Amino acid sequence: MPSAVSSSPGSPGSPVASVALRFGRVLVMGAVAALILIAGVWASWGTAQHVMLTKGRERGTVEVARCGERSCTGPFSPLSVGAQPRQRVVIEKTVAVRAGQTYPVVVKPGSDDVVRSGPAGVLYAWVPMGGALLLASVVVAGGLRLTRAAWALAGAGVALLTAAFVAV
């Protein structure tokens, strides 16, 4: 006796539709995870390029004299050849920047803005990437159902954020 329910190749219950939906889910979730990771690199690279590629840049120290709500200022003392001393440079105020402290910095070209250098500066610059790794791990685990890859992404994100917290 033939079945009362028949499925044609294009109907929702057919194997072809199931494969197409699965492929679509993997494609979309893969694109979302890739977009999150690209955004993390993009957000981090704005600061990281100055900290990591220091050849030809002015390097020195800043002694923080005053802090406002969002930034701190102080005199810049050069350490690299060709760097000029400056009476006032601006560094972003973070939890770790305090008035009276001296920090190694790199001057952003064409400005009086400085970013922290050294291991603490590199790790702090890549904090947005750490957050992106954590967020992408959720997408990879839920959308792509790749739990081992998701745990690897989450572990890398937690390691980066923890190292930045400890170093700064």
Side-chain angles (χ1 to χ4, degrees):
M1 174 171 212
S3 165
V5 179
S6 66
S7 60
S8 62
S11 68
S14 74
V16 173
S18 177
V19 169
L21 286 173
R22 204 172 310 128
F23 178 73
R25 177 183 50 85
V26 168
L27 186 68
V28 170
M29 289 297 113
V32 169
L35 183 64
I36 291 169
L37 293 174
I38 290 168
V41 171
W42 186 275
S44 296
W45 189 246
T47 302
Q49 65 178 325
H50 303 295
V51 178
M52 296 174 69
L53 307 174
T54 60
K55 185 175 181 182
R57 299 189 195 268
E58 294 182 77
R59 288 176 282 144
T61 59
V62 61
E63 183 179 345
V64 177
R66 294 183 357 186
C67 288
E69 283 187 38
R70 296 187 178 178
S71 63
C72 296
T73 59
F76 174 75
S77 303
L79 294 177
S80 63
V81 177
Q84 301 296 321
R86 299 173 188 207
Q87 292 298 321
R88 183 179 178 270
V89 292
V90 179
I91 187 170
E92 180 184 356
K93 184 179 180 184
T94 63
V95 176
V97 175
R98 294 188 179 92
Q101 297 291 320
T102 302
Y103 302 100
V105 293
V106 175
V107 179
K108 289 185 178 180
S111 72
D112 286 332
D113 293 338
V114 296
V115 292
R116 286 186 68 171
S117 62
V122 171
L123 290 169
Y124 181 72
W126 286 104
V127 163
M129 184 62 192
L133 286 165
L134 284 174
L135 185 57
S137 73
V138 174
V139 173
V140 169
L144 297 175
R145 298 190 178 134
L146 298 172
T147 54
R148 287 186 182 149
W151 278 110
L153 288 172
V158 167
L160 178 58
L161 294 174
T162 302
F165 178 77
V166 169
V168 172

